[in-house]
């Protein structure tokens, strides 16, 4: 008995992905950069004279991050 080989089905067509232009992604890059700078500020400089938020809560929350990134602490 001859076995038939199933025909090789062609792959389903993938949707075309349009390349993202720099002009489209630039605002998101700027937003992400600003977010990273704010995070870096809170991890690295939110204490003492440069503190924007009173108290030590923010410092305590990011304390391990300070040590991990090598910022001076105590
Ligand atoms: Zn510390």
């Amino acid at each position: 008995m001859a076995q038939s080989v199933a025909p090789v089905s062609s792959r389903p067509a993938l949707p075309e992905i349009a390349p993202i232009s720099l002009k489209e992604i630039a605002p998101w890059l700027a937003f992400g950069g600003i977010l990273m700078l704010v995070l870096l500020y809170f991890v690295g400089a939110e204490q003492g004279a440069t503190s924007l938020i009173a108290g030590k809560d923010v410092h305590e929350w990011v304390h391990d991050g300070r040590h991990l990134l090598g910022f001076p602490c105590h």
Side-chain angles (χ1 to χ4, degrees):
M1 180 166 135
Q3 294 181 346
S4 64
V5 177
V8 177
S9 63
S10 61
R11 292 177 149 180
L14 295 174
E16 292 233 358
I17 301 173
I20 300 173
S21 72
L22 186 61
K23 189 177 179 181
E24 288 174 329
I25 205 168
W28 292 103
L29 288 175
F31 176 69
I34 290 170
L35 220 55
M36 291 297 114
L37 287 175
V38 168
L39 182 65
L40 188 63
Y41 166 78
F42 276 108
V43 171
E46 177 64 17
Q47 75 170 15
T50 60
S51 180
L52 292 178
I53 300 172
K56 289 187 152 192
D57 290 339
V58 174
H59 178 81
E60 294 301 324
W61 291 338
V62 297
H63 188 244
D64 291 344
R66 282 181 78 82
H67 285 274
L68 181 70
L69 295 174
F71 287 103
C73 188
H74 50 86

